Structures are given as C-alpha cells and as structure tokens.
Amino acid sequence: MTGTQEFERVLDGSDKSVASFEHENISLIKRAQHFLHSTPAAVPLIVLVLAIIIFGITIGGRFFSSYTLTLILQQIAIVGILGAAQTLVILTAGIDLSIGVIMVISAVIMGNVAITYGIPTPIAVAAGMLVGGLCGLLNGFLVAYMKLPPFIVTLGTWNIVMATNFIYSANETIRDTDVDEQAPLLHLFAMSFKAGTAVLTLGVIAMVLLVLLLWYVLNHTAWGRHVYAVGDDPEAAKLSGIQTKKVLLTVYTISGVIAAFAAWVSIGRNGSISPSSAVTDFNLQAITATVIGGISLFGGRGSILGTLFGAMIVGVVSMGLNMLGADPQWKVLLTGVLIIAAVAIDQWIRKVSV
C-alpha cells in the first residue's frame, strides 16, 4: 500500500486517553469498609487487641503475665478446634448443632475401646475418629443429597447422637487414673513445655496448627475455593462446574473428624471421660467463636484465622472479668453484645459490593 488509508488518518486524530476511576473522593469510612471486606480477620483482631489493652489497663501487669495469657490459650483450645470445624460448615451457609455431642461420643468411644475393651490406644483413637467422621457423613448426606435444611438436620442428629452416647456408655465416667494407667496416649495433648516463661500444652499447639492448615487449604487449594463458592452462591457454583453435593458432603465429614480430634484434645484437658459433658454448651461456644470471628452466617465470606481470634476474644473477656471479680453473668451479657455487633458489622461490610 502506497499511502495511509482514510480510516487510519481518522484514528490518528482520535482521543487516546484511557478511562480511569477516581479514588481520591472515596470517604475514610468507605475505605475502611473496603479494607474490612478484603481482610475479614481484621475486625476480630482489632477487637482482640482492644480487649487485651482495656483489661490490661484495668487489671494491671498481672493480666499481661505469661501465665495468664497462656492459661487463656489452654482454656480455648477445645472451643478453638470445634470453631474451626464449625467454620467449614458455616462457610457453606450451613450450621452444625451436633458438633459438640459428636466430640463427646468420640471421646467416649476412645475411652471405652482403649480401657473397657483393652484394645491398643492408637486403634481406639482411630475408632473415635471414625465415629466422628460417620456422624459428619450422615449430616452431609442429609443436607447435600436429601436437600434437608442444615439447622433441622443437625438439630435432629444432636438428639440422636446425645441419646446414643448415654445409652452406649450407661452414663459411666472413665476416671483420670484409669486413663493414665491403661491408655496414657489419650492424655497426649495434656503434655506441656516451656517457651521462655510461658507454659504451653500440646493441645494449644494442635489448635494453632489445625487453624493454619485449614487456612492454607481454604485459601490455596481448589477445594477451599469451592467451599467459598458453594456458600456464596450454590447455583452459580453448580453452573460453573463445581460438584456442590460432594463439597457439602466432604465439609460435614471433615467437620465430624475435627470434632473427634477435639475429643482427643479434651481428654487431655479434662483428664477423665464423662458422657454427661454432652449437655455442655460446646455447640454454642463454637458458634459464638465463629460468629465473633467474622465468619458470615450467610456463607461464602470470612477467614478461619478470625475464628481463632474470636475464640481468644471470648477467652480474654472471660479471664479479664474473672480477675476483676465480676459477676459471671457479665460474661454472658458481653458475649451476646459481641455476637450482635459481629453480625451487624458483617451486614455493613457486605454492602461494599452493592
């Protein structure tokens, strides 16, 4: 071609500026909203730091002692592990009300298999894990394949598992001394060691490692992204090729296995194995840690690190009020306030996408 064509000359004279979005006019509140939306663990972390500062100022140096801080971690180890299991379920927009009793029956199975039946402890632990996984598998099957609401399903299995626990065990407690003599491996997570002036148990280390493992799985594996996708919009996830039923089935099954792992840790923490601990509000404690930790009850949003921070917030508030000699009901009141505040903040943060 010998010359420039007519349309090329027109293009040469056209506007070549690129469209851009102005960010300078965004208010500070909007910036905070965007930050909290992209960093869901930030809110519980901020609340945790503020709680530590407030109680530290109120109580003084005693609160910042290594003994106090590590005691808080020891007290939340079981709830932190159950909260991690609950997080997986809530991320799919579900809920598991049976998780606490799954933990208790798994502990009862471990104790009876090892002590009553005299079977080697590793097999007893595996049996407890199997029972926990089967309970979770039942929940997952009813939710994923029978299309039943998670709340109703897990409320039903909560009653079934609790009754089975009492019937099987005849409500007989296995004593601490019997566990020490015949199955000391069940007390593994009670072992402690010093880190400077702090004293940590293996149960605390197990909780932290579990949370870090699940954080990696949820953020850096295809399965983890599928969990978020199913919780955010199950129909869109199905249309994109995600096998939503299998994701739900695996989530509830893994949740049951983690609850059984919490059973092993609880044996080390409590010493004895009591079937009557099934009436303890482990379910509510795990849900509380999860909600305060910023996991959205509507599914698809939140960080499991936030659950750990949520459990620590409850532990710090409880310890702080105990050291102040406050009425225990203040802990219940503040916990309720934190739950409502967490849900309100979640609703506000979700509006960032509107």
Side-chain angles (χ1 to χ4, degrees):
M1 299 178 65
T2 57
T4 304
Q5 296 187 26
E6 184 67 23
F7 73 87
E8 291 177 326
R9 286 196 295 270
V10 173
L11 288 175
D12 286 338
S14 63
D15 187 4
K16 296 182 176 62
S17 60
V18 179
S20 61
F21 296 94
E22 296 292 335
H23 295 281
E24 290 78 6
N25 296 327
I26 297 179
S27 66
L28 183 61
I29 293 179
K30 284 291 184 182
R31 290 177 184 271
Q33 193 177 21
H34 278 273
F35 169 74
L36 296 177
H37 186 272
S38 60
T39 316
V43 173
L45 178 59
I46 293 170
V47 174
L48 175 62
V49 172
L50 288 175
I52 292 174
I53 292 173
I54 291 171
F55 282 113
I57 294 173
T58 306
I59 297 171
R62 287 187 304 136
F63 188 78
F64 289 110
S65 68
S66 58
Y67 171 79
T68 300
L69 296 177
T70 53
L71 182 59
I72 291 172
L73 289 175
Q74 292 174 32
Q75 290 177 342
I76 68 166
I78 299 171
V79 173
I81 294 172
L82 288 177
Q86 191 69 254
T87 297
L88 295 178
V89 176
I90 293 180
L91 283 175
T92 64
I95 197 165
D96 190 349
L97 300 179
S98 66
I99 199 168
V101 292
I102 291 176
M103 180 191 76
V104 174
I105 196 172
S106 297
V108 168
I109 293 293
M110 291 179 188
N112 277 279
V113 170
I115 296 167
T116 305
Y117 308 147
I119 295 174
T121 308
I123 298 177
V125 171
M129 294 285 190
L130 178 62
V131 168
L134 289 175
C135 291
L137 182 66
L138 174 61
N139 286 334
F141 175 78
L142 294 174
V143 170
Y145 290 90
M146 301 301 292
K147 304 292 186 182
L148 299 178
F151 183 89
I152 300 301
V153 166
T154 56
L155 180 62
T157 55
W158 173 74
N159 284 281
I160 293 170
V161 174
M162 183 167 63
T164 304
N165 164 60
F166 287 127
I167 293 170
Y168 169 73
S169 64
N171 203 17
E172 294 181 355
T173 298
I174 299 176
R175 298 179 303 171
D176 187 3
T177 53
D178 293 333
V179 176
D180 270 337
E181 291 175 2
Q182 301 180 49
L185 184 61
L186 291 179
H187 281 166
L188 172 67
F189 291 102
M191 295 178 61
S192 60
F193 63 94
K194 283 191 174 182
T197 57
V199 179
L200 298 173
T201 64
L202 290 183
V204 172
I205 301 302
M207 173 189 68
V208 174
L209 291 179
L210 174 66
V211 170
L212 292 177
L213 174 63
L214 291 177
W215 175 85
Y216 177 83
V217 170
L218 287 170
N219 290 277
H220 297 283
T221 67
W223 182 82
R225 304 318 302 170
H226 291 172
V227 170
Y228 279 98
V230 170
D232 187 50
D233 191 333
E235 291 303 320
K238 186 182 297 185
L239 291 173
S240 66
I242 297 174
Q243 296 180 317
T244 56
K245 291 181 180 179
K246 287 186 178 180
V247 171
L248 288 172
L249 191 66
T250 54
V251 162
Y252 281 91
T253 303
I254 292 173
S255 175
V257 172
I258 294 174
F261 179 69
W264 191 6
V265 175
S266 73
I267 295 173
R269 171 71 181 163
N270 300 325
S272 60
I273 302 172
S274 175
S276 61
S277 61
V279 299
T280 309
D281 59 344
F282 287 116
N283 298 320
L284 291 179
Q285 292 176 24
I287 294 171
T288 298
T290 305
V291 173
I292 293 177
I295 306 299
S296 175
L297 288 171
F298 301 96
R301 204 189 74 81
S303 170
I304 197 167
L305 295 178
T307 299
L308 177 59
F309 298 148
M312 292 176 69
I313 289 170
V314 175
V316 166
V317 170
S318 179
M319 178 63 71
L321 292 176
N322 288 340
M323 295 181 73
L324 288 172
D327 189 311
Q329 295 307 317
W330 280 105
K331 173 193 170 184
V332 180
L333 187 149
L334 288 176
T335 301
V337 171
L338 288 171
I339 291 173
I340 294 173
V343 175
I345 291 172
D346 174 63
Q347 289 288 283
W348 177 68
I349 292 173
R350 290 175 74 91
K351 292 179 181 178
V352 75
S353 58
V354 177

